[in-house]
Amino acid sequence: MSFCFNFDVPAQTTNPDCADGNELQNRKKDNAAKSTEDKTKPAEPVKAAKEHFPLSDPEFLLMDAVTETVTIGTLPPLHFLNETVFERTTSEREDGEKITSRTVEQRSDLISGVYEGGLKVWECTYDLLELIERDGETFGAKVVLDLGCGAGLLGILALKRGAGQVHFQDYNSTVIEQLTVPNVMLNCQDDDDEVDSEDDKEGRSKGKIQEEDGHKIKAKGTQEVKDGSPLPKKRAIDLSQQPLLSKCRFFSGDWSTFLALVKKEDPQPKYDIIFTSETIYNTAYYPALHETLHTLLAPRGLVYLATKSHYFGVGGGLHLFETFVEQKGIFSLDHLWDGEEGLQRHVVVLRFKTERDT
């Protein structure tokens, strides 16, 4: 993947003969603050938001799906569409945004303002799932938003562990319609029926088990492709009457237009928990993200953010976002987990500041 660096570096013209050490230090801080402000100008153009409704015939989306399952500790298994198969069958899918063809042409997993990476399950999502497993969160009757959801694993977990409502949002409508909604439908199946299915048992015995950062990921009923033979495909059952699905809503669009859309509702939704994973890679998006969190988080709500320290080539990362949040003065930010190996990853929590924090 190739990246282009295009950062604004403010010029500094300091005469050491007429400035003492304190003045030099103050100028450095001012320049750093100005640099952050320059980088976080709102990105243009914005993408119109809309709500998506599952098809009346859900079998259509899952008819030829090949799925994987991730299992972490005591968490319920999470099922999702196999990424490789999804890419290979892209010509069979509706993609008015043409994001799959564009990513192939540009050999990139991310095209700013066009495709924001929602077709991949990024590493930090697994970090946040592990944290949830460790802390034993059950989401009882809570209202949850999976912001920048992609495959939707975080929201799906909340749904399977008792959340009252779960809303999913992603930049791209193709991601919501072709990936998020099908994944939610997969997980609305009765787990007992799934375990007891003889076909599924046979698929599990033949399936591949891969280890990714210690997480067991099972490709159900899949085999390696040999001599160009197509992968075996799994036909879905009708999920239209599943009660879990009725707890879900699905949105696409830029964060600013998504916020404008839901603010029109009466009452306006407020979320007890907002999940967002690998969404702070571009500093230009910080104002819209912060405003969305500020407006939609319930007074005692929590924002769980999983992220890398730095995103090479696109410029964002945790340090810059922490600085931005501190400048705004709305949220406190605490580290819940910090990875020490390789490219450092983190899970942090944001909550509204109280009088004790000020």
Side-chain angles (χ1 to χ4, degrees):
M1 187 193 316
S2 60
F3 293 107
C4 175
F5 292 86
N6 185 21
F7 304 131
D8 296 328
V9 180
Q12 298 186 27
T13 56
T14 302
N15 183 349
D17 295 333
C18 61
D20 60 20
N22 290 334
E23 184 177 353
L24 287 173
Q25 188 67 23
N26 289 335
R27 290 186 183 184
K28 288 180 181 179
K29 290 182 179 180
D30 291 342
N31 284 331
K34 182 179 184 300
S35 177
T36 302
E37 292 174 0
D38 290 342
K39 290 178 184 178
T40 54
K41 292 177 181 178
E44 296 290 347
V46 296
K47 189 178 185 66
K50 67 176 181 178
E51 183 170 3
H52 300 257
F53 301 93
L55 297 176
S56 57
D57 180 12
E59 287 189 10
F60 177 78
L61 286 176
L62 295 174
M63 185 177 299
D64 295 319
V66 174
T67 67
E68 296 183 45
T69 299
V70 58
T71 303
I72 298 177
T74 60
L75 297 183
L78 303 176
H79 313 300
F80 57 100
L81 297 185
N82 178 280
E83 179 184 324
T84 301
V85 176
F86 188 96
E87 292 176 348
R88 292 182 183 181
T89 59
T90 182
S91 60
E92 304 171 14
R93 303 178 182 277
E94 294 184 12
D95 180 12
E97 299 169 304
K98 302 187 185 305
I99 60 175
T100 49
S101 60
R102 292 183 183 183
T103 55
V104 171
E105 290 173 1
Q106 299 193 25
R107 298 181 180 180
S108 175
D109 291 325
L110 182 72
I111 306 173
S112 183
V114 176
Y115 165 61
E116 300 293 347
L119 295 178
K120 298 180 70 68
V121 180
W122 297 92
E123 299 94 332
C124 292
T125 298
Y126 296 117
D127 297 333
L128 186 44
L129 287 171
E130 285 192 337
L131 181 75
I132 295 169
E133 194 271 339
R134 184 194 75 188
D135 291 350
E137 173 65 67
T138 58
F139 305 100
K142 292 180 179 177
V143 182
V144 177
L145 172 63
D146 192 345
L147 192 66
C149 61
L153 296 187
L154 297 167
I156 290 169
L157 175 62
L159 184 67
K160 298 184 80 169
R161 297 196 83 177
Q165 296 180 49
V166 181
H167 296 176
F168 299 84
Q169 180 277 337
D170 196 88
Y171 183 84
N172 292 104
S173 59
T174 298
V175 172
I176 290 291
E177 294 175 350
Q178 301 296 326
L179 185 63
T180 314
V181 171
N183 285 347
V184 172
M185 289 179 172
L186 281 171
N187 288 274
C188 285
Q189 296 186 46
D190 188 325
D191 289 337
D192 291 336
D193 289 346
E194 190 175 24
V195 170
D196 291 338
S197 166
E198 291 301 322
D199 291 338
D200 193 49
K201 288 180 181 178
E202 181 180 356
R204 284 201 299 270
S205 66
K206 295 180 180 179
K208 297 183 297 181
I209 296 181
Q210 303 169 326
E211 291 287 340
E212 294 189 7
D213 293 334
H215 313 125
K216 288 188 176 181
I217 299 181
K218 183 183 296 184
K220 297 171 60 177
T222 66
Q223 300 173 351
E224 293 184 5
V225 178
K226 297 180 180 179
D227 302 324
S229 300
L231 288 167
K233 298 180 178 180
K234 177 182 176 182
R235 191 170 299 274
I237 63 173
D238 185 356
L239 305 171
S240 59
Q241 303 303 315
Q242 287 294 318
L244 286 180
L245 191 59
S246 65
K247 297 181 178 182
C248 301
R249 296 177 68 184
F250 305 89
F251 301 89
S252 67
D254 176 85
W255 284 325
S256 61
T257 57
F258 162 67
L259 178 59
L261 178 64
V262 297
K263 283 175 66 175
K264 295 177 182 178
E265 300 184 7
D266 187 16
Q268 175 188 306
K270 290 286 186 178
Y271 299 99
D272 301 302
I273 293 177
I274 298 179
F275 290 126
T276 189
S277 177
E278 308 251 23
T279 52
I280 60 170
Y281 51 84
N282 190 332
T283 58
Y285 300 160
Y286 290 3
L289 175 59
H290 190 278
E291 179 63 20
T292 300
L293 300 178
H294 184 190
T295 305
L296 297 183
L297 187 65
R300 299 175 65 86
L302 300 173
V303 178
Y304 290 98
L305 165 66
T307 181
K308 295 183 176 70
S309 295
H310 183 73
Y311 291 89
F312 295 98
V314 282
L318 182 57
H319 176 67
L320 286 175
F321 187 70
E322 282 183 294
T323 301
F324 184 84
V325 169
E326 184 178 355
Q327 290 173 346
K328 288 294 184 179
I330 302 298
F331 296 107
S332 63
L333 186 153
D334 298 299
H335 287 235
L336 299 178
W337 176 82
D338 298 293
E340 299 297 334
E341 298 181 359
L343 180 57
Q344 292 185 350
R345 306 197 301 266
H346 310 269
V347 178
V348 301
V349 62
L350 286 77
R351 52 173 62 87
F352 286 117
K353 283 188 173 182
T354 63
E355 293 183 357
R356 291 182 298 177
D357 298 321
T358 57

